Amino acid sequence: MKSVMMSMAAGLLMTTAAPVFANDSVTAIANDPGQWGMQLGQYDGSRYSKLDKINKENVGDLQVAWTFSTGVLRGHEGSPLVVDNVMYVHTPFPNTVYALDLNDEGKILWKYQPQQNPDVIGVMCCDTVNRGVAYADGMVFLHQADTTVVALDAKTGEVKWSVQNGDPAKGETNTATVTIVKDKVLVGISGGEYGVRGHLTAYNIADGSMAWRAYSTGPDEDMLVDPENTMVLGKPIGKDSSLNTWEGDQWQIGGGTTWGWTTYDPELNLIYYGTGNPSTWNPSQRPGDNKWSMTIMARDPDTGMAKWFYQKTPHDEWDFDGVNENILADQEIDGTMRKVLVNFDRNGFGYTLDRETGELLVAEKYDPQVNWATEVDMNKDSETYGRPLVVAEYSTEQNGEDTNTTGVCPAALGSKDQQPAAYSPDTGLFYVPTNHVCMDYEPFRVSYAAGQPYVGATLSMFPAPDSHGGMGNFIAWDATKGEIKWSLPEQFSVWSGAMATAGGVVFYGTLEGYLKAVDAETGEELYKFKTPSGIIGNVFTYENAGKQYVGVLSGIGGWAGIGLAAGLSNANDGLGAVGGYAALSDYTALGGQLTVFAVPE
């Protein structure tokens, strides 16, 4: 199959003359603002709703309309889906799924309870979170912690098919959702801290059979690239582009996992996703650029063939995973309308690229405290074009093994982790939940053993010094210029996915448990309400019986809340997060609840 794909590469990498459309059922739901049918709202990842019955004038009157307990006390990421007046709610491990009838007071229509080996909990990095289910063609798709992909009948919860995507015994697990594009279910893999070799896999919706698998590292045929037609910054990537940047066969345990988000442009027929950190966290053990970890990838969803790559952090020395969402928008840059892709990377830089060609248009810091690099080289004639210019003082490799590199900003969890940003076409601004956190980082030599941690670094985390004293900000970003328009300081990192609406309101949640609503133009706080537990879920909205609702899952956990979620107390546990977020226990406690809000009649 791979050899056939390679021979077709040149033709497949060209943009077709006629638009190729996405899955009809997914598109129809996404085009109906009364439903919330995708985790990111739409294929473009904008998390923007056209609903405006809740707006700047009345959002201050929001009240709790109803609640639902999930029965699980760990970190609740992602959001429910709402399709045809049924809400599909997921939980962290054990990954229970509920179908609730919104026309009958949230009556439970069915409940799916996977039977998973609890040993997978011990292999999962950074909590037992799951970022939600997907919907298409009358089926609900769940990617379980143990990497089982399940297609459920949306009306009954009956299992239509299931397939195993990885092997937890090797450290392969899952925390991410799946994305449906045409007749394919796109599925990533977690486990970069166990030396897993990352990949994105497409399964056929009809029966779960594998259509293609594209690895992040290794031989060209494994990665589904064409050396002459897959591009990086306007040039062909060349033969053995990955193999040439690893020592020996390290690429086989090289990380580059794919546990983030996937977006899609139907007209270009390209999917976009990111790859994670290289393994191990000790950079001295893996000389070279370690391609293609830390990379934005653009691929043909029908075949998996890559059109272009862009590596944001070559030879990562700080665990700045590159998996964050790639938001698609049309914006004017230097007087010309461009089809852009906007990415807020863990490394602290906000990138704007041409999503058709991969041309780098803007790369600027979206947290002023970022210090590990001075800038990204934007000179196309430079040998370091497109690369971050690393500051020697904060280089964990230059400082060496068993040396504590202090004061690196941002911390390993990044200036933003997986919590998705939002984009409003009304303002042209991106709304970004951020971490305002720095770290000390000490790498050490580590040996690989399948299924065992392959980290090789000790971390501690703390608020960015000489700043507002807190650990987070919620910002509005102009991606055409790479500028912060306004910034709201928060005591803790903002680990909730944002949502923008046509009502001129942007919503997000806080680790203390507040749902907040702010003015999309000015950032003025218009409303807040404290839910029963810290919020790391993503805000969503829908209509039922002509009334607009806003909802969010609360349940403290994730990397920032792992101390509370897992009962850890050693400051260096949780890869340094336990000590950094120790004060969270003064403000919130474990929970697992959906809270839905509405403006009263």
Side-chain angles (χ1 to χ4, degrees), residues 197-259:
R197 183 186 176 203
H199 51 72
L200 187 77
T201 306
Y203 295 100
N204 292 306
I205 285 180
D207 58 8
S209 59
M210 185 186 294
W212 53 260
R213 170 168 286 176
Y215 285 92
S216 304
T217 64
D220 293 342
E221 60 271 21
D222 286 9
M223 294 193 300
L224 302 187
V225 300
D226 183 318
E228 299 304 320
N229 292 289
T230 301
M231 309 298 282
V232 55
L233 296 175
K235 298 179 181 179
I237 62 172
K239 181 177 172 56
D240 295 334
S241 60
S242 176
L243 297 180
N244 293 336
T245 64
W246 291 89
E247 191 173 76
D249 61 358
Q250 286 183 333
W251 55 269
Q252 295 186 24
I253 52 172
T257 49
T258 48
W259 53 272

Side-chain angles (χ1 to χ4, degrees), residues 60 99 140 150 175 215 243 321 409 423 437 440 509 514 570 575 596:
V140 174
V150 183
T175 56
Y215 285 92
L243 297 180
D321 285 65
C409 304
Y423 168 70
V437 185
D440 298 341
Y514 285 105
N570 186 302
L575 302 170
V596 180

Side-chain angles (χ1 to χ4, degrees), residues 184-208:
K184 304 289 193 300
V185 184
L186 304 177
V187 182
I189 197 76
S190 302
E193 281 61 61
Y194 288 81
V196 166
R197 183 186 176 203
H199 51 72
L200 187 77
T201 306
Y203 295 100
N204 292 306
I205 285 180
D207 58 8

